[in-house]
Amino acid sequence: MKGEHPLTPALPYDMAPRARAAAGDVRLRQFVERATTTRDRGRADACRAAFGDALDEVRSLAGQLRQHALDHLDTHLERFIEEAERGGITVHVAADGPAAVAICRDIAQRHGCRTCVKSKSMVTEEIGLLDGLMAAGVETVETDLGEFIVQLDGDAPSHIVAPMIHKDRTDVARAFQRELGAPYTEDPEALTRIARQHLRGVYRRADLGVSGANFLVAETGSIVLCTNEGNADFCVSGPPVHVAVAGIEKLIGRLADLSVYLKLLARSATSQPLTVYTTLIQGPRRPGERDGPREVHVILLDNGRSRLLAADTRELLRCIRCGACLNACPVYRQVGGGHAYGAVYSGPIGATITPLFKGIANYPDLPRASSLCGACHAACPVDIDLPHHLIALRRRQVRERVTGPGERLAYRVWAWWLRGARRYRVAGSCMRLLLRAMGRSMGQDAGAGGRRRWIARPLPGLRPWLEHRDFPAPPRRNFREWWRRRR
Ligand code: SF4
């Protein structure tokens, strides 16, 4: 809503007003539609070129590897802590977001840090680390180009991988002119140059670097970072102190498994065979080395993840945050990107994990923000059956009485109707008559031979469905009747 931060809405969150506003913003929908379609097609082509007919087997293998890692998370955690500390990394464990922010703030204060450079990380968005450091007097600058622009605009990322998917170059030009005093230009190269010049100055004075982690390898105690702009490498090697924040689900057992994930992550996120920079951090600067931080810290964050380790939701923790399910999702495209979801994680994966992290009653709309078409499952490189989890959440909503009594009654009546063949036929005929009557009432005939009717004045309950899409009135006869007559 106006004046409200896109990712920290008042709870319980009502998705409809933001989705309606975004769906009515033609420019926004065009950006999102174009970007997601291109990315989705690129992912499909890149995966097909690399794995051909074996793609489903590779996805299944990756899913099983992730599941195995989660099934043995306790041993992987112990092993990672042991190996990381052997390499000189200080490991912290945080039960929730405020605890993680406090650990990071304490490290910054102990070292007298004044400027922090931060690379892109969803988990730091999740815990509000940037605001936490700023409040402690540490100037914190996003260095991923998209995140940097989003920060200049006082906005929030709208996509897991492409944070400024909801903006175009005119927005960037305006932000650079307004916030950096740069001359107005829409030339992408000139805009990149302006950002680079500005960020180089920040890198030079930074005394704290913060990153996320794409994976944590238990066997070697390594932090793995995958980026395309090289900004994360500046963040973790320039300043004297590096803090990495990672959810506990990022742990994998063996270094050998990493190659499977890296191949799938880059192809699913950006259609590349590999990200341009893949960095494995084993510890701080060693004696005799000229570069690198003097201290490296890892904050292992729970923040609700151990709740999801329960057998029926554990699969959701496989997610490697590639964003492919967002690009494939027709709902994400229609509502103009991630802001309509009112949460850090948007799209199908956000619609499942956000209610589980933050309470099902707080996000009643999210499990229903899906057509259950299955495109997200087909796109997911680690084979997460997202539609299954969305349905399970809807079932929980009914059980926990998040849905209102009217809706529950309506679904019960509907289920009763569907269970009897004759009842189903009678109900179908009644519904057809009703919908045809609504189409006729406006006299809107269109299509071949003028026989097509469009519903223009729907029943009150159907109105939101028809605000941004046309809905044809049903034909006079259904398929069964048409078939019987034909014979
Ligand atoms: S759920 Fe699957 S497709 Fe969606 S972001 Fe996670 S790994 Fe990618």
Side-chain angles (χ1 to χ4, degrees):
M1 301 303 296
K2 217 172 170 81
E4 200 179 53
H5 188 269
L7 307 185
T8 51
L11 298 176
Y13 177 63
D14 181 6
M15 186 176 177
R18 271 202 214 160
R20 204 173 296 132
D25 186 338
V26 177
R27 185 170 165 260
L28 173 68
R29 276 177 59 186
Q30 273 173 355
F31 297 161
V32 175
E33 179 74 37
R34 203 179 307 135
T36 48
T37 310
T38 311
R39 281 170 177 268
D40 191 41
R41 207 175 294 140
R43 171 198 57 78
D45 291 346
C47 288
R48 209 175 303 119
F51 308 116
D53 293 342
L55 176 59
D56 284 342
E57 279 169 50
V58 177
R59 289 173 56 230
S60 164
L61 170 69
Q64 286 167 28
L65 282 174
R66 288 292 295 131
Q67 194 70 23
H68 185 271
L70 293 165
D71 291 344
H72 299 86
L73 197 57
D74 49 351
T75 38
H76 291 334
L77 267 170
E78 280 177 17
R79 180 89 194 270
F80 175 79
I81 293 173
E82 205 179 296
E83 294 300 329
E85 287 181 344
R86 201 197 308 277
I89 297 174
T90 310
V91 183
H92 310 258
V93 180
D96 54 24
V101 173
I103 293 169
C104 192
R105 203 180 45 220
D106 289 349
I107 296 168
Q109 283 170 345
R110 207 167 50 242
H111 291 275
C113 300
R114 308 295 313 155
T115 306
C116 167
V117 278
K118 183 177 161 300
S119 70
K120 183 173 149 21
S121 145
M122 292 311 289
V123 79
T124 56
E125 289 289 340
E126 177 187 327
I127 61 175
L129 183 61
L130 190 142
D131 290 342
L133 287 174
M134 293 285 241
V138 183
E139 177 204 11
T140 305
V141 180
E142 295 282 2
T143 58
D144 171 271
L145 187 54
E147 293 270 1
F148 174 62
I149 293 156
V150 162
Q151 185 186 18
L152 286 182
D153 270 345
D155 199 351
S158 172
H159 188 284
I160 292 176
V161 175
M164 51 161 286
I165 200 168
H166 56 305
K167 294 180 191 289
D168 75 349
R169 68 177 81 167
T170 57
D171 296 314
V172 182
R174 275 191 224 116
F176 283 4
Q177 187 185 38
R178 189 184 66 240
E179 302 296 327
L180 307 181
Y184 186 91
T185 171
E186 292 179 13
D187 174 32
E189 272 185 35
L191 290 169
T192 313
R193 225 173 6 253
I194 293 166
R196 184 177 291 154
Q197 263 164 15
H198 178 82
L199 287 174
R200 284 283 152 96
V202 184
Y203 284 128
R204 271 197 286 269
R205 62 175 195 274
D207 39 22
L208 174 66
V210 168
S211 74
N214 290 87
F215 302 99
L216 299 170
V217 186
E219 184 184 44
T220 54
S222 319
I223 304 163
V224 183
L225 292 175
C226 306
T227 61
N228 279 322
E229 296 172 17
N231 61 307
D233 297 83
F234 275 129
C235 291
V236 304
S237 55
V241 183
H242 168 211
V243 179
V245 188
I248 51 173
E249 82 282 10
K250 296 284 179 180
L251 275 155
I252 61 169
R254 302 174 308 171
L255 192 61
D257 298 343
L258 190 60
S259 63
V260 179
Y261 302 132
L262 292 181
K263 282 179 192 153
L264 283 168
L265 175 63
R267 287 185 170 90
S268 304
T270 47
S271 333
Q272 295 162 281
L274 274 180
T275 44
V276 177
Y277 301 92
T278 302
T279 307
L280 276 79
I281 297 165
Q282 299 279 135
R285 180 195 305 190
R286 306 261 194 286
E289 287 180 347
R290 291 177 54 197
D291 301 314
R294 285 196 294 273
E295 275 188 28
V296 176
H297 298 257
V298 176
I299 303 175
L300 297 173
L301 178 75
D302 185 325
N303 210 24
R305 285 159 174 80
S306 41
R307 271 203 311 278
L308 266 67
L309 276 172
D312 53 346
T313 48
R314 185 174 297 180
E315 190 188 57
L316 290 168
L317 292 176
R318 290 182 192 176
C319 178
I320 54 173
R321 307 280 187 258
C322 69
C325 58
L326 280 65
N327 300 330
C329 178
V331 174
Y332 179 89
R333 292 178 185 177
Q334 284 291 320
V335 298
H339 286 176
Y341 291 77
V344 171
Y345 303 107
S346 58
I349 185 64
T352 51
I353 60 174
T354 304
L356 291 169
F357 280 162
K358 299 190 160 193
I360 290 189
N362 286 329
Y363 287 89
D365 292 339
L366 293 194
R368 287 178 261 175
S370 168
S371 62
L372 301 179
C373 65
C376 50
H377 184 196
C380 179
V382 285
D383 200 20
I384 303 176
D385 189 349
L386 289 157
H388 163 82
H389 292 282
L390 288 164
I391 292 171
L393 277 170
R394 292 179 191 185
R395 204 174 293 130
R396 267 186 73 178
Q397 285 187 326
V398 174
R399 244 191 350 253
E400 294 174 19
R401 303 198 167 260
V402 175
T403 47
E407 193 177 335
R408 282 204 299 280
L409 178 68
Y411 276 116
R412 249 184 224 138
V413 171
W414 191 12
W416 176 78
W417 255 336
L418 293 179
R419 275 200 294 266
R422 182 177 298 192
R423 282 198 298 262
Y424 176 75
R425 274 202 298 278
V426 172
S429 302
C430 294
M431 189 55 85
R432 227 171 28 251
L433 279 175
L434 185 66
L435 293 176
R436 282 185 65 76
M438 286 192 290
R440 200 165 30 233
S441 69
M442 290 301 286
Q444 283 199 359
D445 285 2
R451 288 196 303 274
R452 200 87 195 255
R453 293 172 191 281
W454 298 89
I455 295 173
R457 193 181 299 161
L459 290 170
L462 286 178
R463 263 182 211 139
W465 273 92
L466 301 176
E467 255 169 46
H468 299 288
R469 59 175 79 76
D470 295 324
F471 197 76
R476 196 185 310 277
R477 280 186 286 277
N478 69 11
F479 177 76
R480 273 166 185 274
E481 290 162 357
W482 174 82
W483 185 252
R484 208 178 304 127
R485 275 179 163 252
R486 227 177 96 96
R487 278 205 301 184

